[in-house]
Amino acid sequence: MKNQKYKLSGKNIYRDARGRAIYYVPKEKRAYQIKENQEGLFQTLQLRYYLVFVIGLLIYFTIVPNLLISIFVPCILFIFLEYEYRSVLKNSVQIENYNMKKNHTKKYDFDEKDIEEKNSSLIVKMIFFIVIGILLIINSFISKDIASSRIAIFGTYLAALISFYFSYRVFKMYYYKNHL
């Protein structure tokens, strides 16, 4: 299990004693065993909320500055992504009342390639995300287009917050790599 490279990591993702990817839903106390060939797709589908938000912002700011279109297109995309997400879960092995301790399940927060990165690379990524967040906030004060629209200000601050969150995740990887 040590030599195996995993694609799937993140919130509510675990590995059982056999190294299989387990997606655990705490509210339902149900686990889904994600097939190895669908791990990459599932990882992308876990980010569906972020993808829809970013696409909505891109449509609004670059293609058509029409609020109705920039809400309608992401909603259609979200319906499609949610359907795919539910299809992957439906086709996975479902385990009711999954017992984490009994199955020797371990939390799997980071992708193996992220843990193997050099410290300098992780520090650069962390600084990059912090700088992007700060620049987004500064841009919201300088740009007349963003300052005149509450939606644009909200979107900019939310994008900055997401950037700071990614910086936190990289810091967590750095700490995990060097202290555990």
Side-chain angles (χ1 to χ4, degrees):
M1 189 168 132
K2 281 269 187 197
N3 296 333
Q4 197 171 7
K5 302 286 184 195
Y6 299 119
K7 298 177 201 167
L8 189 58
S9 62
K11 184 178 180 184
N12 296 328
I13 300 296
Y14 299 89
R15 294 280 169 184
D16 64 5
R18 297 180 188 162
R20 296 177 296 192
I22 303 294
Y23 174 63
Y24 182 67
V25 182
K27 290 179 184 177
E28 301 172 2
K29 294 188 178 180
R30 181 181 301 156
Y32 297 91
Q33 182 182 331
I34 307 300
K35 296 174 185 171
E36 191 173 336
N37 63 345
Q38 291 188 323
E39 287 185 15
L41 173 64
F42 189 77
Q43 183 79 42
T44 303
L45 293 173
Q46 276 191 307
L47 300 172
R48 65 194 179 281
Y49 300 114
Y50 303 114
L51 289 171
V52 168
F53 174 73
V54 168
I55 288 173
L57 285 178
L58 286 174
I59 289 172
Y60 184 76
F61 288 117
T62 60
I63 300 172
V64 180
N66 183 337
L67 186 61
L68 202 59
I69 292 173
S70 63
I71 291 175
F72 179 73
V73 172
C75 285
I76 297 297
L77 179 65
F78 176 76
I79 291 169
F80 171 74
L81 290 174
E82 189 67 26
Y83 175 78
E84 283 295 316
Y85 175 75
R86 299 293 171 189
S87 296
V88 169
L89 290 181
K90 185 179 178 184
N91 294 330
S92 300
V93 176
Q94 296 181 22
I95 307 166
E96 297 290 332
N97 297 320
Y98 187 75
N99 187 338
M100 304 289 265
K101 291 180 183 177
K102 181 181 174 187
N103 294 303
H104 307 289
T105 309
K106 294 182 180 178
K107 181 79 175 134
Y108 197 72
D109 267 342
F110 308 111
D111 198 345
E112 286 288 329
K113 67 178 173 45
D114 294 332
I115 299 299
E116 292 174 358
E117 280 189 64
K118 294 180 182 177
N119 285 341
S120 59
S121 174
L122 291 174
I123 291 171
V124 168
K125 279 185 180 180
M126 190 171 31
I127 292 171
F128 171 76
F129 285 124
I130 290 171
V131 168
I132 290 293
I134 291 170
L135 288 175
L136 282 168
I137 292 171
I138 290 172
N139 188 42
S140 71
F141 291 112
I142 295 173
S143 176
K144 293 176 184 176
D145 295 332
I146 293 175
S148 63
S149 171
R150 287 186 180 176
I151 294 172
I153 290 173
F154 175 75
T156 301
Y157 289 158
L158 190 59
L161 186 65
I162 290 169
S163 181
F164 291 137
Y165 171 73
F166 284 150
S167 176
Y168 163 75
R169 290 281 297 172
V170 172
F171 173 76
K172 200 171 160 185
M173 278 187 270
Y174 176 80
Y175 182 81
Y176 177 80
K177 179 180 177 183
N178 292 303
H179 294 91
L180 297 178

